[in-house]
Amino acid sequence: MKKTNRLGLLVVVFLLNLSFSGIAQNKIVIHADQPGAKIDKAIYGHFAEHLGHCIYGGIYVGEKSDIPNIKGFRTDVVEALKDLKVPLVRWPGGCFADTYHWKDGIGPKSERASIVNVHWGGVTEDNSFGTHEFLDFCELIGADPYICLNVGSGTVREAAEWIEYVTSANESPMTKLRKQNGREKPWNVKYWSAGNETWGCGGNMRPEYYADLYRQYASYMRAPGMYKIVSGANGSDYNWTEVLMREASRMMNGISVHYYTVPKDWNKKGSATQFDEATWFNTMEKTLKMEELVTKHSAVMDKYDPNKKVGLLVDEWGTWYDVEPGTNPGFLYQQNTLRDALVAGINLNIFNNHADRVRMSNIAQMINVLQSVILTKDKEIVLTPTYYVFKMYNVHQDAQVLPIEINCGKYNSADKSLDAINCSASVKGGVVSITLCNLDPVNAQDISFEIQGLKATKISGNIVTASKINAYNDFGKKDEVVLADFKNAKLTNGQVTSSIPAKSVVLIQLQ
Ligand code: AHR
């Protein structure tokens, strides 16, 4: 074939590609004229377990500590979480929840039972942070509490009494006890789940057995406006969702699913900070698996709940690496780099885009454990790259999701490739917010936007990025990864264009 003919053929193939994809390369169409489901602010929820230094040292240091505190809660942490607008906190676990007997954690602290935290390092748990402390903490940071009941080693009576102690305004032995312990008025706790990972650390049950047990617990889980949650599937165990939806959907408001991004495998997960580009690629690829999980669990739920009354709640997600060298392996302490910022941005975009079914998510975990937003060491505090992504994405809380069409370039690594851009958009109060992740660690993506239904006159933006893929913030050092203004989005004669830098998470707002 002559050279010119070959070139002609290439051009035809290119044009055909464009027309098959519907929109031009590197174009994102946002349907601002078709607002969809509300992005429940609970999608921006957190998880705090009695594990390592999440509670003790992270949230709670006790009133006698020389670390500045408000009634025992670290002042710096409280301020940072208020600033983050944390909508919801899940507690006391995790695996810990199914070993937790709530009466050990009420009353005078000197009289509280000390127990062994069997799942997490075998350390002594003195129960100085219990129900009152958790609910006071939630009030302090302005978050809704979400309590996980003990199904694995507890009883229905114990669960029912806990609910009564917390939520009842009536006269009863439990409310009398609560008042003796200093709390006159009940708390308003809407979210309660019956157990955690009942397929694993929460009792190693079969779904059929747990479905019956859930129905029994749910019969005695009573409080005004209660949102009842079923302990859901491990990753892609769609049969778990199938059985629970078939047997118990009429008695639940939400069903959970847990999925962690593990870059390598569970035996050798990989370092949080020392990794190469191939591992970055794997981490992105494994994070994008969340899209498939949410889609397929939703499809199972659609069979039993076509009107989408039951929420899919991703109440544990995040990165899971090898613990930092020299730290207690049972404490799951890991650093947090720019890579974690991308993981957070991608997951939150996926949840936003599925807001019609996904009603809550809880990053694991809030402080000092797995993909934390905050790390503490004695008096010092570090806000992680993940913190800044949550701060940037707050604009989506309770906004309406917008349909989007994306046609972008690929991020190629060795013989594999992924879409370079991951995105979601929402509208609230006339402001359109678009959050974009460029997964490619080397190449920027030049994008033109078509915003249907909005004649924008104002544009602004923010960005989280850094010069290295493994940049992180550390104690006593200047932060390497922060939230900065993004000036690279242009609004010219109503047209929006931008170059999204390599390895970045970006917010563009238009009005
Ligand atoms: O987040 C750490 C642990 O991971 C939780 O306790 C458990 O639910 C999950 O397996």
Side-chain angles (χ1 to χ4, degrees):
M1 202 190 294
K2 272 206 213 135
K3 212 174 178 186
T4 43
N5 283 354
R6 217 182 302 140
L7 188 66
L9 188 65
L10 279 176
V11 171
V12 171
V13 169
F14 177 71
L15 291 174
L16 277 175
N17 268 338
L18 289 189
S19 68
F20 282 140
S21 65
I23 54 173
Q25 265 276 315
N26 280 4
K27 179 162 184 179
I28 296 182
V29 180
I30 309 229
H31 296 275
D33 49 353
Q34 295 171 32
K38 187 174 91 169
I39 298 172
D40 198 314
K41 66 177 181 188
I43 283 179
Y44 290 82
H46 292 246
F47 172 35
E49 178 167 10
H50 288 243
L51 195 179
H53 291 297
C54 182
I55 302 291
Y56 302 110
I59 293 173
Y60 192 71
V61 286
E63 286 175 80
K64 293 188 189 132
S65 172
D66 58 356
I67 297 175
N69 67 82
I70 309 159
K71 284 173 60 187
F73 307 107
R74 284 183 74 122
T75 311
D76 51 0
V77 167
V78 166
E79 291 308 321
L81 294 175
K82 275 164 80 175
D83 216 23
L84 202 53
K85 298 191 173 61
V86 170
L88 177 90
V89 187
R90 175 176 183 250
W91 173 85
C95 296
F96 180 79
D98 285 287
T99 63
Y100 185 62
H101 300 285
W102 68 273
K103 283 185 186 163
D104 291 344
I106 55 168
K109 289 192 200 260
S110 58
E111 291 169 26
R112 294 189 191 177
S114 281
I115 59 162
V116 177
N117 190 335
V118 289
H119 285 292
W120 306 120
V123 294
T124 300
E125 159 66 58
D126 71 1
N127 277 305
S128 56
F129 187 99
T131 303
H132 289 248
E133 288 75 21
F134 171 62
L135 295 171
D136 286 351
F137 168 66
C138 287
E139 278 182 354
L140 204 54
I141 64 166
D144 285 334
Y146 164 13
I147 293 181
C148 181
L149 298 164
N150 178 349
V151 168
S153 70
T155 62
V156 175
R157 177 177 178 173
E158 188 182 9
E161 286 187 343
W162 196 5
I163 294 165
E164 187 179 307
Y165 183 92
V166 169
T167 65
S168 177
N170 288 336
E171 282 299 310
S172 79
M174 288 305 112
T175 58
K176 198 170 156 203
L177 188 58
R178 183 187 74 222
K179 289 173 193 174
Q180 275 169 14
N181 289 331
R183 175 79 184 195
E184 189 64 29
K185 282 194 313 188
W187 287 278
N188 180 14
V189 180
K190 175 176 161 186
Y191 298 104
W192 296 83
S193 72
N196 165 74
E197 296 194 351
T198 46
W199 41 263
C201 64
N204 285 302
M205 302 173 203
R206 293 172 305 110
E208 292 78 9
Y209 177 79
Y210 173 61
D212 280 346
L213 198 55
Y214 173 77
R215 286 160 58 132
Q216 187 187 355
Y217 268 77
S219 306
Y220 301 94
M221 289 165 67
R222 292 193 194 132
M226 181 184 275
Y227 191 99
K228 296 182 191 181
I229 299 166
V230 171
S231 156
N234 178 14
S236 60
D237 184 355
Y238 303 110
N239 181 53
W240 185 275
T241 304
E242 177 89 38
V243 174
L244 267 299
M245 287 300 291
R246 188 182 67 221
E247 303 300 339
S249 54
R250 69 184 173 82
M251 296 179 79
M252 66 171 87
N253 301 104
I255 182 166
S256 68
V257 57
H258 289 181
Y259 175 68
Y260 286 94
T261 298
V262 179
K264 295 188 173 166
D265 60 58
W266 281 100
N267 295 326
K268 185 84 191 111
K269 298 184 259 316
S271 159
T273 55
Q274 305 304 311
F275 55 88
D276 55 15
E277 204 240 300
T279 311
W280 165 283
F281 183 94
N282 285 350
T283 312
M284 299 302 130
E285 190 178 36
K286 292 203 173 173
T287 301
L288 288 166
K289 170 101 177 153
M290 185 66 89
E291 174 68 36
E292 178 189 320
L293 294 175
V294 165
T295 304
K296 290 190 175 170
H297 282 293
S298 299
V300 175
M301 293 173 75
D302 286 348
K303 276 168 62 182
Y304 301 95
D305 175 36
N307 295 325
K308 300 188 191 294
K309 288 191 182 138
V310 178
L312 179 62
L313 320 175
V314 189
D315 65 11
E316 283 185 34
W317 66 271
T319 52
W320 195 321
Y321 309 123
D322 293 333
V323 297
E324 290 304 320
T327 64
N328 187 328
F331 283 9
L332 309 185
Y333 176 78
Q334 65 190 38
Q335 249 296 355
N336 196 292
T337 68
L338 178 63
R339 175 175 60 161
D340 295 83
L342 270 290
V343 171
I346 294 168
N347 275 309
L348 293 170
N349 280 338
I350 293 171
F351 303 148
N352 288 345
N353 288 331
H354 287 271
D356 61 336
R357 184 60 93 175
V358 177
R359 311 265 162 75
M360 177 199 291
S361 95
N362 304 74
I363 189 164
Q365 300 191 0
M366 191 178 232
I367 306 180
N368 293 330
V369 173
L370 300 177
Q371 191 179 349
S372 304
V373 292
I374 294 175
L375 301 175
T376 63
K377 189 170 83 178
D378 304 324
K379 285 185 177 172
E380 290 178 273
I381 182 171
V382 157
L383 304 181
T384 67
T386 302
Y387 178 95
Y388 291 113
V389 170
F390 268 77
K391 191 158 185 196
M392 177 195 268
Y393 274 57
N394 272 341
V395 291
H396 292 304
Q397 288 192 21
D398 284 342
Q400 279 178 284
V401 69
L402 297 175
I404 50 179
E405 292 168 62
I406 311 179
N407 193 343
C408 65
K410 294 284 178 193
Y411 161 32
N412 301 308
S413 176
D415 56 344
K416 298 211 262 179
S417 92
L418 300 169
D419 285 342
I421 294 287
N422 169 275
C423 171
S424 72
S426 71
V427 63
K428 187 162 68 174
V431 180
V432 170
S433 301
I434 310 162
T435 43
L436 304 118
C437 300
N438 183 358
L439 283 51
D440 191 321
V442 178
N443 303 300
Q445 288 284 320
D446 295 335
I447 297 176
S448 69
F449 294 84
E450 183 182 326
I451 320 287
Q452 296 189 349
L454 180 83
K455 288 208 175 358
T457 53
K458 268 195 197 163
I459 190 164
S460 60
N462 291 111
I463 184 167
V464 174
T465 191
S467 54
K468 292 183 291 171
I469 54 175
N470 61 346
Y472 61 96
N473 301 336
D474 205 358
F475 300 101
K477 297 194 181 141
K478 188 170 178 291
D479 281 353
E480 288 187 27
V481 192
V482 291
L483 184 62
D485 284 347
F486 181 60
K487 305 278 185 206
N488 228 354
K490 308 271 179 253
L491 177 64
T492 322
N493 300 328
Q495 296 297 308
V496 181
T497 52
S498 183
S499 180
I500 309 296
K503 53 176 166 27
S504 69
V505 185
V506 165
L507 164 70
I508 298 174
Q509 289 195 289
L510 296 158
Q511 54 184 306

PDB file of all heavy atoms in Angstrom, residues 344-361:
ATOM      1  N   ALA A 344      -9.061   7.535  46.957  1.00  0.00           N
ATOM      2  CA  ALA A 344     -10.234   8.159  47.584  1.00  0.00           C
ATOM      3  C   ALA A 344     -11.097   8.842  46.528  1.00  0.00           C
ATOM      4  O   ALA A 344     -12.324   8.673  46.487  1.00  0.00           O
ATOM      5  CB  ALA A 344      -9.789   9.170  48.637  1.00  0.00           C
ATOM      6  N   GLY A 345     -10.455   9.610  45.642  1.00  0.00           N
ATOM      7  CA  GLY A 345     -11.206  10.346  44.621  1.00  0.00           C
ATOM      8  C   GLY A 345     -11.989   9.407  43.710  1.00  0.00           C
ATOM      9  O   GLY A 345     -13.159   9.668  43.391  1.00  0.00           O
ATOM     10  N   ILE A 346     -11.352   8.316  43.301  1.00  0.00           N
ATOM     11  CA  ILE A 346     -12.026   7.359  42.398  1.00  0.00           C
ATOM     12  C   ILE A 346     -13.226   6.729  43.102  1.00  0.00           C
ATOM     13  O   ILE A 346     -14.335   6.666  42.565  1.00  0.00           O
ATOM     14  CB  ILE A 346     -11.036   6.266  41.935  1.00  0.00           C
ATOM     15  CG1 ILE A 346      -9.935   6.859  41.055  1.00  0.00           C
ATOM     16  CG2 ILE A 346     -11.769   5.138  41.206  1.00  0.00           C
ATOM     17  CD1 ILE A 346      -8.762   5.911  40.793  1.00  0.00           C
ATOM     18  N   ASN A 347     -13.008   6.232  44.333  1.00  0.00           N
ATOM     19  CA  ASN A 347     -14.118   5.593  45.054  1.00  0.00           C
ATOM     20  C   ASN A 347     -15.282   6.555  45.254  1.00  0.00           C
ATOM     21  O   ASN A 347     -16.441   6.200  45.022  1.00  0.00           O
ATOM     22  CB  ASN A 347     -13.640   5.069  46.412  1.00  0.00           C
ATOM     23  CG  ASN A 347     -13.023   3.686  46.315  1.00  0.00           C
ATOM     24  OD1 ASN A 347     -13.621   2.764  45.752  1.00  0.00           O
ATOM     25  ND2 ASN A 347     -11.821   3.528  46.840  1.00  0.00           N
ATOM     26  N   LEU A 348     -14.970   7.764  45.664  1.00  0.00           N
ATOM     27  CA  LEU A 348     -16.058   8.719  45.933  1.00  0.00           C
ATOM     28  C   LEU A 348     -16.792   9.083  44.642  1.00  0.00           C
ATOM     29  O   LEU A 348     -18.023   9.230  44.644  1.00  0.00           O
ATOM     30  CB  LEU A 348     -15.503   9.967  46.640  1.00  0.00           C
ATOM     31  CG  LEU A 348     -14.978   9.697  48.065  1.00  0.00           C
ATOM     32  CD1 LEU A 348     -14.231  10.916  48.613  1.00  0.00           C
ATOM     33  CD2 LEU A 348     -16.095   9.303  49.028  1.00  0.00           C
ATOM     34  N   ASN A 349     -16.054   9.170  43.519  1.00  0.00           N
ATOM     35  CA  ASN A 349     -16.739   9.405  42.236  1.00  0.00           C
ATOM     36  C   ASN A 349     -17.687   8.253  41.912  1.00  0.00           C
ATOM     37  O   ASN A 349     -18.816   8.465  41.444  1.00  0.00           O
ATOM     38  CB  ASN A 349     -15.721   9.539  41.097  1.00  0.00           C
ATOM     39  CG  ASN A 349     -15.092  10.925  41.044  1.00  0.00           C
ATOM     40  OD1 ASN A 349     -15.652  11.894  41.557  1.00  0.00           O
ATOM     41  ND2 ASN A 349     -13.928  11.017  40.427  1.00  0.00           N
ATOM     42  N   ILE A 350     -17.220   7.030  42.152  1.00  0.00           N
ATOM     43  CA  ILE A 350     -18.069   5.855  41.863  1.00  0.00           C
ATOM     44  C   ILE A 350     -19.328   5.906  42.732  1.00  0.00           C
ATOM     45  O   ILE A 350     -20.449   5.703  42.243  1.00  0.00           O
ATOM     46  CB  ILE A 350     -17.276   4.546  42.089  1.00  0.00           C
ATOM     47  CG1 ILE A 350     -16.149   4.416  41.060  1.00  0.00           C
ATOM     48  CG2 ILE A 350     -18.206   3.322  42.036  1.00  0.00           C
ATOM     49  CD1 ILE A 350     -15.163   3.284  41.318  1.00  0.00           C
ATOM     50  N   PHE A 351     -19.158   6.199  44.020  1.00  0.00           N
ATOM     51  CA  PHE A 351     -20.337   6.240  44.908  1.00  0.00           C
ATOM     52  C   PHE A 351     -21.303   7.349  44.466  1.00  0.00           C
ATOM     53  O   PHE A 351     -22.517   7.153  44.437  1.00  0.00           O
ATOM     54  CB  PHE A 351     -19.919   6.447  46.369  1.00  0.00           C
ATOM     55  CG  PHE A 351     -18.962   5.403  46.894  1.00  0.00           C
ATOM     56  CD1 PHE A 351     -18.014   5.714  47.851  1.00  0.00           C
ATOM     57  CD2 PHE A 351     -19.008   4.095  46.414  1.00  0.00           C
ATOM     58  CE1 PHE A 351     -17.123   4.761  48.324  1.00  0.00           C
ATOM     59  CE2 PHE A 351     -18.116   3.129  46.885  1.00  0.00           C
ATOM     60  CZ  PHE A 351     -17.166   3.470  47.838  1.00  0.00           C
ATOM     61  N   ASN A 352     -20.757   8.514  44.123  1.00  0.00           N
ATOM     62  CA  ASN A 352     -21.623   9.612  43.642  1.00  0.00           C
ATOM     63  C   ASN A 352     -22.435   9.162  42.430  1.00  0.00           C
ATOM     64  O   ASN A 352     -23.646   9.401  42.347  1.00  0.00           O
ATOM     65  CB  ASN A 352     -20.786  10.819  43.192  1.00  0.00           C
ATOM     66  CG  ASN A 352     -20.158  11.570  44.355  1.00  0.00           C
ATOM     67  OD1 ASN A 352     -20.539  11.383  45.497  1.00  0.00           O
ATOM     68  ND2 ASN A 352     -19.193  12.422  44.044  1.00  0.00           N
ATOM     69  N   ASN A 353     -21.739   8.517  41.496  1.00  0.00           N
ATOM     70  CA  ASN A 353     -22.411   8.126  40.245  1.00  0.00           C
ATOM     71  C   ASN A 353     -23.488   7.065  40.467  1.00  0.00           C
ATOM     72  O   ASN A 353     -24.350   6.879  39.623  1.00  0.00           O
ATOM     73  CB  ASN A 353     -21.381   7.635  39.219  1.00  0.00           C
ATOM     74  CG  ASN A 353     -20.555   8.787  38.664  1.00  0.00           C
ATOM     75  OD1 ASN A 353     -21.024   9.920  38.593  1.00  0.00           O
ATOM     76  ND2 ASN A 353     -19.316   8.511  38.292  1.00  0.00           N
ATOM     77  N   HIS A 354     -23.398   6.364  41.608  1.00  0.00           N
ATOM     78  CA  HIS A 354     -24.418   5.348  41.921  1.00  0.00           C
ATOM     79  C   HIS A 354     -25.315   5.802  43.078  1.00  0.00           C
ATOM     80  O   HIS A 354     -25.828   4.977  43.827  1.00  0.00           O
ATOM     81  CB  HIS A 354     -23.733   4.027  42.291  1.00  0.00           C
ATOM     82  CG  HIS A 354     -23.122   3.325  41.116  1.00  0.00           C
ATOM     83  ND1 HIS A 354     -23.832   2.430  40.339  1.00  0.00           N
ATOM     84  CD2 HIS A 354     -21.896   3.402  40.572  1.00  0.00           C
ATOM     85  CE1 HIS A 354     -23.048   1.986  39.371  1.00  0.00           C
ATOM     86  NE2 HIS A 354     -21.868   2.549  39.481  1.00  0.00           N
ATOM     87  N   ALA A 355     -25.503   7.115  43.187  1.00  0.00           N
ATOM     88  CA  ALA A 355     -26.235   7.651  44.347  1.00  0.00           C
ATOM     89  C   ALA A 355     -27.678   7.159  44.433  1.00  0.00           C
ATOM     90  O   ALA A 355     -28.301   7.235  45.489  1.00  0.00           O
ATOM     91  CB  ALA A 355     -26.212   9.170  44.311  1.00  0.00           C
ATOM     92  N   ASP A 356     -28.198   6.645  43.325  1.00  0.00           N
ATOM     93  CA  ASP A 356     -29.572   6.125  43.381  1.00  0.00           C
ATOM     94  C   ASP A 356     -29.651   4.871  44.251  1.00  0.00           C
ATOM     95  O   ASP A 356     -30.708   4.535  44.775  1.00  0.00           O
ATOM     96  CB  ASP A 356     -30.110   5.828  41.968  1.00  0.00           C
ATOM     97  CG  ASP A 356     -29.300   4.776  41.247  1.00  0.00           C
ATOM     98  OD1 ASP A 356     -28.113   4.583  41.575  1.00  0.00           O
ATOM     99  OD2 ASP A 356     -29.852   4.122  40.334  1.00  0.00           O
ATOM    100  N   ARG A 357     -28.536   4.171  44.446  1.00  0.00           N
ATOM    101  CA  ARG A 357     -28.533   2.952  45.263  1.00  0.00           C
ATOM    102  C   ARG A 357     -27.551   3.039  46.432  1.00  0.00           C
ATOM    103  O   ARG A 357     -27.826   2.558  47.522  1.00  0.00           O
ATOM    104  CB  ARG A 357     -28.192   1.748  44.362  1.00  0.00           C
ATOM    105  CG  ARG A 357     -28.244   0.417  45.026  1.00  0.00           C
ATOM    106  CD  ARG A 357     -29.596   0.050  45.591  1.00  0.00           C
ATOM    107  NE  ARG A 357     -30.425  -0.703  44.685  1.00  0.00           N
ATOM    108  CZ  ARG A 357     -31.616  -1.214  45.009  1.00  0.00           C
ATOM    109  NH1 ARG A 357     -32.110  -1.055  46.231  1.00  0.00           N
ATOM    110  NH2 ARG A 357     -32.345  -1.863  44.119  1.00  0.00           N
ATOM    111  N   VAL A 358     -26.397   3.672  46.195  1.00  0.00           N
ATOM    112  CA  VAL A 358     -25.401   3.765  47.281  1.00  0.00           C
ATOM    113  C   VAL A 358     -25.770   4.951  48.171  1.00  0.00           C
ATOM    114  O   VAL A 358     -25.780   6.094  47.724  1.00  0.00           O
ATOM    115  CB  VAL A 358     -23.971   3.934  46.710  1.00  0.00           C
ATOM    116  CG1 VAL A 358     -22.958   4.115  47.840  1.00  0.00           C
ATOM    117  CG2 VAL A 358     -23.591   2.723  45.865  1.00  0.00           C
ATOM    118  N   ARG A 359     -26.078   4.658  49.425  1.00  0.00           N
ATOM    119  CA  ARG A 359     -26.559   5.731  50.317  1.00  0.00           C
ATOM    120  C   ARG A 359     -25.586   6.046  51.441  1.00  0.00           C
ATOM    121  O   ARG A 359     -25.824   6.947  52.242  1.00  0.00           O
ATOM    122  CB  ARG A 359     -27.894   5.320  50.947  1.00  0.00           C
ATOM    123  CG  ARG A 359     -28.917   4.791  49.974  1.00  0.00           C
ATOM    124  CD  ARG A 359     -29.885   5.875  49.503  1.00  0.00           C
ATOM    125  NE  ARG A 359     -30.565   5.443  48.291  1.00  0.00           N
ATOM    126  CZ  ARG A 359     -31.545   4.544  48.246  1.00  0.00           C
ATOM    127  NH1 ARG A 359     -31.988   3.980  49.355  1.00  0.00           N
ATOM    128  NH2 ARG A 359     -32.086   4.192  47.097  1.00  0.00           N
ATOM    129  N   MET A 360     -24.525   5.257  51.561  1.00  0.00           N
ATOM    130  CA  MET A 360     -23.558   5.506  52.639  1.00  0.00           C
ATOM    131  C   MET A 360     -22.246   4.841  52.264  1.00  0.00           C
ATOM    132  O   MET A 360     -22.245   3.808  51.581  1.00  0.00           O
ATOM    133  CB  MET A 360     -24.065   4.893  53.954  1.00  0.00           C
ATOM    134  CG  MET A 360     -23.111   5.038  55.130  1.00  0.00           C
ATOM    135  SD  MET A 360     -23.422   3.886  56.481  1.00  0.00           S
ATOM    136  CE  MET A 360     -24.959   4.448  57.147  1.00  0.00           C
ATOM    137  N   SER A 361     -21.145   5.434  52.720  1.00  0.00           N
ATOM    138  CA  SER A 361     -19.872   4.706  52.678  1.00  0.00           C
ATOM    139  C   SER A 361     -19.049   5.173  53.864  1.00  0.00           C
ATOM    140  O   SER A 361     -19.265   6.271  54.387  1.00  0.00           O
ATOM    141  CB  SER A 361     -19.142   4.941  51.357  1.00  0.00           C
ATOM    142  OG  SER A 361     -18.205   5.990  51.468  1.00  0.00           O
TER     143      SER A 361
END
